[in-house]
């Protein structure tokens, strides 16, 4: 009986790593204007979107279904362009004891970059499916953000 797991995906993007990562560290509130599957976001607790003490509320589409959840930043590693979020509330708490999202952005020699998204989770019981719908959601959001940033 395996309850803990990890899912990971890597996507090539045309936006330079620094520019892509900066959206997540300084302009995350703009994601709702860029990503088709993000319906609404708001600051739930705290005064700054990018502070570790703040909690954000998200209304998103996973597996074709509108869901809500909360998120807080656990760690930001500016040097390695890596950020870790704790995701909780809504369907997350019903199905998972632990749910973390890790985003890493790495430059490639040709001026493009690679985004790695990793979900670390622990299911509440063995009947819960892995969060594959979240991987599809993240892939779509990365594509939307890359398309938006490559135009600006």
């Amino acid at each position: 009986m395996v309850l803990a797991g990890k899912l990971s995906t890597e996507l090539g993007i045309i936006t330079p790593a620094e520019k892509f990562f900066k959206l997540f560290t300084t302009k995350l509130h703009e994601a709702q204007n860029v990503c088709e599957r993000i319906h609404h976001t708001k600051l739930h607790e705290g005064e700054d979107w990018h502070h570790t003490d703040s909690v954000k509320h998200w209304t998103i589409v996973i597996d074709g279904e509108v869901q809500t959840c909360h998120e807080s930043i656990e760690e930001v590693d500016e040097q390695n362009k890596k950020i870790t979020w704790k995701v909780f509330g809504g369907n997350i708490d019903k199905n998972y004891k632990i749910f973390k999202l890790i985003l890493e952005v790495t430059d490639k020699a040709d001026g493009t970059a690679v985004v790695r998204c990793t979900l670390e989770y622990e299911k509440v019981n063995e009947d819960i499916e892995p969060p594959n719908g979240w991987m599809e959601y993240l892939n779509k959001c990365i594509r939307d953000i890359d398309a938006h940033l490559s135009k600006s």
Side-chain angles (χ1 to χ4, degrees):
M1 167 173 55
V2 176
L3 296 178
K6 218 184 247 197
L7 296 173
S8 189
T9 186
E10 280 189 14
L11 295 168
I13 59 172
I14 57 176
T15 305
E18 183 65 35
K19 184 176 182 180
F20 192 87
F21 185 71
K22 188 173 182 170
L23 181 127
F24 293 91
T25 58
T26 63
K27 299 178 183 182
L28 186 58
H29 58 282
E30 292 183 9
Q32 68 185 330
N33 302 324
V34 175
C35 298
E36 175 186 334
R37 295 189 182 181
I38 299 175
H39 285 221
H40 181 69
T41 60
K42 68 179 180 180
L43 194 58
H44 183 69
E45 291 177 15
E47 297 178 22
D48 180 357
W49 269 79
H50 305 97
H51 193 277
T52 55
D53 291 338
S54 296
V55 175
K56 282 76 72 189
H57 178 270
W58 295 82
T59 303
I60 57 180
V61 177
I62 304 284
D63 291 329
E65 181 181 310
V66 175
Q67 299 184 19
T68 62
C69 62
H70 290 91
E71 155 271 303
S72 63
I73 297 170
E74 282 198 346
E75 178 184 9
V76 177
D77 180 346
E78 295 276 349
Q79 183 176 351
N80 293 308
K81 297 177 191 70
K82 179 180 175 182
I83 188 165
T84 304
W85 292 275
K86 176 183 175 186
V87 184
F88 55 97
N91 288 351
I92 298 293
D93 289 351
K94 292 177 190 172
N95 298 315
Y96 303 97
K97 293 178 186 177
I98 297 170
F99 202 87
K100 290 185 183 184
L101 168 59
I102 303 159
L103 178 117
E104 300 172 78
V105 190
T106 308
D107 279 312
K108 290 174 46 179
D110 65 1
T112 63
V114 173
V115 178
R116 172 182 279 166
C117 284
T118 303
L119 288 176
E120 295 179 356
Y121 61 91
E122 183 179 341
K123 302 183 288 187
V124 295
N125 65 55
E126 60 195 31
D127 297 329
I128 303 297
E129 293 293 321
N132 294 317
W134 272 82
M135 297 309 291
E136 181 185 330
Y137 162 79
L138 293 169
N139 284 334
K140 178 69 172 125
C141 287
I142 289 167
R143 294 282 176 230
D144 290 349
I145 291 168
D146 186 36
H148 172 75
L149 292 175
S150 67
K151 294 176 189 172
S152 57

